[in-house]
Amino acid sequence: MTNYYSTGKRDRTHALVLACILLSLFAFTASFVTSPAAGLARPQTKSVALANIHHATAKLHDPRRNVSPSPDYLANCAVNGSNSKSCVKQALQAINNARAAEGVRPMILPADYTSLSMAQQTFIVTDLERVDRGLRPFKGLTAKLNANAHHAAVVRADPTLVNAVMALLGVREYGSIWAGDFGPLASDYDWMYNDGYSANGSVNLDCQTRSAKGCWGHRHVILGAYSGLPTLVAGAGTAKPAGSSIAQIFVGSVKSSFQFVYTWRQALDAGASGHKILA
């Protein structure tokens, strides 16, 4: 994915042929329902490296290799939808199992998670990846950056900022990520724990060889340090069906105030994380 008929004997013969065709179609459909992963498009991800010569990723270790999701949520989320109770449960459990291998506490979603937009869900999940590793969260989503990310999701590409917008927003550093996946939690899993090289075909389009510079690039964007920049803001956008194209942009700004359409404090107030790390 990114880059997801007369009478008589002759009539009886025709009817028999038609019945065989219908039975074959039914068998194919049943096979797909019982084993949906076999017909799924492979998730794919792509990122834009943070745009600033002073950028530094937080001093955190990448996994030594891709972590196979346990449980494997792919078929569940594809069939039931990314916002279904079963998909959220399985994908979150896979994330927490991968986190445990890094010594990171379990991710705790807000109580209203499934009632939120996919853009808000994406923002919360990536902020939780930061704060649970001791990093500053992004303060909130802005309408302008959300629109930028939504457009990128529609065209299945990474969000980018032109110089005029960067000047308007006081941007000194930004990075962006994109996924064609099964919702925010599945995208997060691939961005954070399945972002390295795989001999069987890497999900990360920028990591097709062991030595590619893009390996673990999504993880680096999410965990950017943004040193010396007072305000961290974000934008997120998704495109149908079911959020199968998700884009997010992260900005470090010298401006002190923004108008937000959703904030990290709102996520905390609804029970996110359990850590009270304020933006």
Side-chain angles (χ1 to χ4, degrees), residues 1-275:
M1 234 165 160
T2 29
N3 48 72
Y4 315 157
Y5 313 55
S6 60
T7 60
K9 182 175 181 181
R10 183 178 180 184
D11 280 356
R12 289 193 295 274
T13 300
H14 286 179
L16 179 60
V17 171
L18 179 59
C20 291
I21 292 173
L22 290 174
L23 284 171
S24 297
L25 288 173
F26 176 80
F28 174 80
T29 303
S31 175
F32 180 80
V33 171
T34 56
S35 183
L40 299 179
R42 183 179 179 83
Q44 293 182 333
T45 59
K46 193 170 177 59
S47 66
V48 168
L50 281 106
N52 189 288
I53 59 173
H54 302 297
H55 168 69
T57 300
K59 294 181 179 180
L60 300 167
H61 295 295
D62 296 330
R64 292 183 179 181
R65 60 185 66 85
N66 289 336
V67 181
S68 297
S70 178
D72 188 346
Y73 53 81
L74 183 64
N76 187 324
C77 294
V79 172
N80 297 312
S82 67
N83 213 37
S84 66
K85 183 177 180 180
S86 60
C87 171
V88 170
K89 180 179 180 179
Q90 282 198 351
L92 183 60
Q93 185 178 344
I95 288 171
N96 286 336
N97 286 338
R99 282 176 156 223
E102 297 181 28
V104 179
R105 70 185 295 276
M107 178 183 289
I108 301 174
L109 299 173
D112 62 350
Y113 178 81
T114 57
S115 68
L116 299 174
S117 70
M118 287 191 178
Q120 292 168 335
Q121 291 176 349
T122 302
F123 167 75
I124 289 168
V125 170
T126 51
D127 250 5
L128 287 173
E129 294 289 13
R130 292 179 60 83
V131 299
D132 288 341
R133 290 172 172 81
L135 301 174
R136 282 189 299 161
F138 284 80
K139 197 168 186 177
L141 297 170
T142 73
K144 184 176 289 295
L145 291 176
N146 275 3
N148 179 286
H150 172 70
H151 173 74
V154 169
V155 299
R156 306 176 76 80
D158 300 300
T160 57
L161 294 177
V162 298
N163 289 337
V165 174
M166 291 180 66
L168 178 66
L169 299 179
V171 177
R172 294 294 180 271
E173 188 174 321
Y174 84 91
S176 63
I177 52 180
W178 171 87
D181 219 319
F182 295 98
L185 288 169
S187 296
D188 179 70
Y189 193 93
D190 284 330
W191 286 333
M192 289 291 297
Y193 309 103
N194 192 31
D195 205 38
Y197 173 75
S198 171
N200 296 322
S202 299
V203 170
N204 183 349
L205 295 176
D206 297 319
C207 184
Q208 298 303 303
T209 65
R210 292 185 186 279
S211 59
K213 293 182 178 179
C215 296
W216 301 104
H218 301 82
R219 183 181 174 101
H220 297 165
V221 170
I222 292 171
L223 302 180
Y226 297 91
S227 301
L229 296 171
T231 310
L232 305 185
V233 297
T238 66
K240 295 181 179 180
S244 59
S245 178
I246 297 179
Q248 189 167 17
I249 187 164
F250 306 89
V251 164
S253 173
V254 293
K255 287 184 63 176
S256 59
S257 63
F258 286 85
Q259 288 188 334
F260 294 106
V261 295
Y262 186 79
T263 66
W264 173 239
R265 184 178 287 277
Q266 285 177 267
L268 286 178
D269 290 343
S273 175
H275 279 312

